[in-house]
Amino acid sequence: MVVGLLWVPATAFASFGFAPGPAGFSAVATGEGGFVDQQAGSHPQALGIEVSFKPESPGSPFTDGDVKDLEIELPGGLVENPGAVPQCSLAQFHTPRSSPFETSLSGESCPDKTQVGTVEVRSSYGGGETRTFGLFNLDPPPGAPSEIGFNPYGAPVIFVPHLRQADGEYGVTLAARNIPQLVGFSGFGLKLWGTPWSIVHNAQRGNCLNEAEPSFGWAKCSVGPPKLNPATAYLSLPSACEGPLGFGAVARSWQAPPTVSRAFAGQSLEGCAGLEFKPAPAIVPSNPRASSPSGIDFRLEVDQDGLLAPARLAPSPVRGATVALPEGVTVNPSVGAGLGTCEPGGYAAETVGSAPGAGCPNASKIGDFTVRSPLFAQPLEGALFLATPFQNPFGTLLAVYLVAKDPERGVLVKVAGRIDADPASGQLTARFDRLPQLPYTELRIHFREGQRSPLATPAACGTYTSGIDLTPWRDPSAVRHTDSHFQISAGIDGGPCPTGSAPFAPASVAGTLNSQAGAHTPFYLHLTRRDTEQEITSYSAALPPGLVATVAGIPFCPEAAIAAAKQTSGFAETADPSCPAASEIGHTVAGYGLGGVLSFAPGKLYLAGPFGGQPLSIVAIDAATVGPFDLGTIVIRSAIALDPQSAGVSIDSAASDPIPHIIDGIPTHLRDIRVYVDRPGFTLNPTSCARFSTTSTLKGSGLRFSDPTDDILAAAPSPFQAFNCGALGFQPKIGLSFKGGTRQGEYPALRAEVRPRPGDANFASTSVTLPATEFLAQSHIDKVCTPVQFARGACPAGSVYGHARVLTPLLSAPLEGPVYLRSSKHDLPDMVAALSGGGLGISLEVVGRIDSSHGGIRGRFEGLPDAPFTSFTMTLNGGRHGLLANSEDLCAKQQYASARLIGQNNRGLATRVPLRVRCGKRGKNGHKHRHRAGRGASR
C-alpha cells in the first residue's frame, strides 16, 4: 500500500453569481508531494480538497460576495468513522486556544486527540493572509449524526456529515450552514486524515500546528503511547475500481445568488482484487414444521476488522444478493388477509425523519430489517414492506422494500428487492441489488412469523438447502456462492412428520335454507380440508333426487364473456363482471392459506350453455384477489349432467375444468369452498321426504403435483332431507281418449293426458289398466329397439309407436319425442318416451312396463322424476301401426280404465277413468245413430 495523500487533479469553475464574468466559484482536490494512494479499501494518510471563490479582482484576497452555505460531496463508498477519535465538546470548541509559543488565532481549545485534519483558510482577514487551523471531531447536538469543525479567528465553521444515497450507492456529504461573514473567506483547503493517530500528523496537531519553531513536532504533539491509544482508521477509501472517484461541491452566498453546483473527477482506484470478500449468509425458518405458516430469517454477517485497523484493507461490501429458497418454501396466501401495500409514492416518502406510516403504511409491513455497523453504537432498525404488485420498480407481482433509519444520526437505508415465483413449483427466488454500501457487520431481514406469516414450509420433513449468490461492490461480475441448510423436523402443530402420500378426507356440509318440500329455496355447499391433507384439484357432485332448478327465462352467459373473463384482472372482474347479471345464479367464497387464518376471495356463479358434452354448465368466475395480490380471474366451468331417468343433477369432474392449485407461481392452498346458489326462484326442493345425500367427490393431489399416482379420490357425503311432505296435496287429473276406429277388430289411437294440480307433490309412479275390450295388437309390432341402439340414439324408424310431450315450469320450452318399444327382460317390450328439447337439448326417458292386469292391458311407469310438470301427453299410434285392438264395439257402452297414481310424498289416487270416444253415425244398414261417450276426465 502506498501511503500518501489522495490526489484529485480536477478543477471545476463557474460563476458564483456575485458578479458577471467567466471566472467564479471553483473547487479542486489536490495532493501533497506527489504521493497518491490508489489502493481501494485502504486508509489514506490524508484526503485533500480545495474550494475557492471568485475574487473581486485578479489576485485580490477579497471575494465579490460572501459564502453562506457550502456542501462538499465526498466520493460514494468513502467511509467516515466518527467513532475513531474522541469528541470535542462545544464549550471547548468555542474557547480560544492559548499557545505557549505564540498568540493563537484559533477560537477553539479542543484536545489533540479529537483532531481529524487541518483546514487552510484564505480570507480577507489581516489584509489577505493564509492560515492553517485544526479540524476537530465535535460532540454533535441531538439529531445530528456527527460534526466536524474549525474555528478560525473566532468565526466557527461546522460541517455536518450526512449520508446521501444515489442508486444504492452511499456517500458522505459535508454540509456547512451559515458560514460567518466576519472573516470573508475566499477559499478552503481541507485535509481529512485517514488515520488521525498516525505520528506523521503530530507536527500539525494541536499547538504544534501554529508554533513559531515546530521542530520535533512529532514528539511534542503526540497523542500518547500506542498501547494506550490504539490506532483506529477514520477514513476508508471505496472498494470499487470501476472509474475515477467523483467529488462535488454546492455553494450559496449571503447575497442570495443562484446556487452553484459542480462535480469533478478524482483519481481512479486499483487493487480491488486484493480486497477480502467473505460474507457469511444464513437462512433459517421460524417454524421448522411441515406445511405450516412460517417466517424466515436471512442473516448476512461480515468481518469488518479491516475497516478499523489502519494496517488492513476494508472488505468489499455486498452489492447484490440472490437467494433461491428451497423448493417447497412458497408464498402463504394467508398473508393477504388485511394486508396493505406500499405504493411508489409511499416508498419515495420514506425519509430519515418521516414518522412510521407516513411513507409505507403500517399495514404493508411484513417483517423487520436491521443493520448493525461498527460506525454506530446502536443498530439501524427498520421494516420490510410489501411493494404494490406491478407498481414497483420491477413491474412484478412480488416485490419488497427494505427501509431502516436512525433520525438521531441522519442515516437512511432503502433497498428494493424483487421476488420471483416459479410458475410450476412456486419456488421463490429473491434478488436484491445495490445493498447499502455501508460497512455493516450484520444485515438481517426477518419475515414475520405467526398465522399470517408470508411463507409456507415444505410439506415433508428433511433437510432443505437455500442457494445464496453474493456479489461485491468491487466487482459486480464476481459471484460467491453459499449453501445454507435447515431442517423440517416435525409435522403440523408439532405432530409427527408426515410419511408417504398425504391423506385426503375432505368434509362437506350441504343443504337448503328452507327445508320445506317443494319450496323454492337457496342451496348452500361448504367444503373444507385440513392442512395435513392433499390439495384439492377437481370437484364432482351428485345432488339429491328432486333437487332441481328453474332455468326458464335465464339467459346463458355468452361464450365470448367467459373467454373475456379469463383475460381480466381479478380487481377489474370484481368491479365490472364479464357475464351479464341476468345469468347470475349465485356466488362463491374461497378460502386460501395455511393455519388458522385464511384469506378469502369472492366469486360469482353463472348459468352457461353446453360444455363437456352436457347441455348445461355452471361457470364459477372467481376474482383471484387475495388481499392486495391480483392473480387474475379463475374461471372454472362445470358440466351439468342430468340423469335421463331420474332427472337427478350431477357435476361431472371429467367434463369440467380442474381447480388450479398454483397461479403465477403462488400455490393457492385451497382449504375452504363456499357455494351459495341463491338466485330467487331458482333452486327447488324435492317433494319426497326420503333421506338422501349431497355427495361431493373431490380429487386430491399429493406432493408431486405432476404425478397422478399419489392422487386420492375422496367422497364427502352430506345428509339431505326435505320436510313436511304431508302438507302437500296430490290431486292430479288424468284423461284417456280414443281416436279412429271404434268397431270390433279396429285399431284406435290412444291419447293419455295428465295434469297435476299446482303446488301438489310430484309424481312418483303411474299405473293405468285399460278395459278388457282392448288388447295388444302383436301382429302390428314390426320392430323393437334394443337397449344398445337406444343408447346410441339409433333406434329403427319402425320401432316408433307414438309421441309424448311434457310441459314443465322448469324449462322455457316443452320436452317431446317419440315413443319406442324397447326390448327388456320382461315378457313384453318396454314402452319408452324419449323426450328432448326444453330449449336446452335436455334428454329424458320415461320408461313404462307393459303387462296385463285383470284381463286388461296395463302400463306402469315407476321411478318417475321428482320434478314438477304442467301437463304430460302421450299419444299411441292407431290404424295399421296401432298397438291396440278392439275386442268389441267401443260405442256400445261406456268404457272405463282404472288408474293408480302415487305422489313423491306417498299420497295416492285410485280412480276409474272414463274413456272418451268419438262415436259417429251408422252406415247404410239403417241402424240408429251412435253416441259420443266418456267426455269427462277423472279426478
Side-chain angles (χ1 to χ4, degrees), residues 342 347 350 357 360-367 382-387 399-403:
C342 183
Y347 182 57
E350 284 287 352
C360 291
N362 291 328
S364 65
K365 181 179 177 181
I366 58 174
L384 175 67
F385 298 101
L386 177 67
V400 294
Y401 295 133
L402 306 176
V403 180

Side-chain angles (χ1 to χ4, degrees), residues 448-828:
R448 72 184 179 204
E449 61 273 350
Q451 295 294 343
R452 289 180 55 223
S453 62
L455 299 176
T457 58
C461 291
T463 301
Y464 291 87
T465 302
S466 301
I468 306 170
D469 290 331
L470 303 176
T471 58
W473 273 92
R474 61 171 174 80
D475 183 5
S477 64
V479 178
R480 180 180 178 87
H481 180 81
T482 304
D483 287 334
S484 179
H485 310 284
F486 64 82
Q487 293 282 333
I488 297 296
S489 54
I492 295 174
D493 295 328
C497 286
T499 57
S501 180
F504 189 58
S508 169
V509 176
T512 54
L513 180 64
N514 179 3
S515 59
Q516 171 61 49
H520 278 101
T521 175
F523 174 79
Y524 300 98
L525 173 66
H526 188 194
L527 303 169
T528 57
R529 71 169 184 88
R530 294 171 295 178
D531 280 334
T532 54
E533 297 178 326
Q534 294 187 352
E535 301 276 351
I536 300 172
T537 58
S538 72
Y539 174 76
S540 60
L543 300 183
L547 187 66
V548 294
T550 303
V551 299
I554 303 178
F556 293 157
C557 177
E559 297 294 327
I562 297 173
K566 297 178 180 179
Q567 307 301 320
T568 305
S569 70
F571 290 128
E573 179 64 28
T574 300
D576 185 16
S578 299
C579 290
S583 61
E584 183 178 342
I585 61 172
H587 67 281
T588 64
V589 178
Y592 306 97
L594 299 173
V597 178
L598 303 182
S599 290
F600 290 91
K604 291 181 181 294
L605 293 174
Y606 298 94
L607 188 66
F611 183 72
Q614 301 297 337
L616 280 173
S617 61
I618 290 179
V619 180
I621 300 182
D622 297 338
T625 51
V626 181
F629 300 111
D630 188 343
L631 304 180
T633 301
I634 302 175
V635 178
I636 300 176
R637 194 166 182 180
S638 300
I640 305 300
L642 273 74
D643 185 277
Q645 296 183 9
S646 68
V649 178
S650 62
I651 296 175
D652 181 9
S653 63
S656 303
D657 291 332
I659 298 174
H661 73 273
I662 184 169
I663 306 172
D664 291 341
I666 310 298
T668 59
H669 296 297
L670 179 61
R671 289 255 312 279
D672 192 300
I673 303 174
R674 305 180 189 193
V675 179
Y676 305 86
V677 184
D678 52 5
R679 181 186 179 107
F682 182 73
T683 308
L684 186 65
N685 270 337
T687 59
S688 168
C689 286
R691 293 181 177 179
F692 298 115
S693 67
T694 300
T695 302
S696 298
T697 302
L698 297 93
K699 190 174 185 179
S701 181
L703 294 177
R704 303 179 300 276
F705 287 119
S706 59
D707 183 2
T709 59
D710 63 349
D711 295 350
I712 297 177
L713 200 65
S718 179
F720 181 93
Q721 186 175 18
F723 292 95
N724 204 22
C725 292
L728 302 177
F730 188 70
Q731 290 293 324
K733 295 179 180 180
I734 182 171
L736 299 173
S737 62
F738 285 105
K739 183 180 179 181
T742 60
R743 298 177 184 271
Q744 182 180 3
E746 294 184 325
Y747 307 99
L750 174 63
R751 174 186 172 90
E753 182 176 7
V754 180
R755 290 183 177 273
R757 187 175 66 177
D760 278 1
N762 299 322
F763 275 72
S765 65
T766 299
S767 174
V768 177
T769 303
L770 297 179
T773 57
E774 298 302 313
F775 61 91
L776 188 66
Q778 297 189 36
S779 61
H780 285 184
I781 298 178
D782 181 20
K783 294 183 178 180
V784 176
C785 184
T786 67
V788 175
Q789 291 173 323
F790 188 89
R792 296 202 313 260
C795 288
S799 62
V800 177
Y801 294 90
H803 185 271
R805 187 173 191 264
V806 62
L807 295 176
T808 171
L810 303 179
L811 305 173
S812 56
L815 295 169
E816 55 186 322
V819 176
Y820 296 98
L821 287 184
R822 187 176 69 185
S823 58
S824 68
K825 62 181 180 179
H826 308 124
D827 294 336
L828 295 175

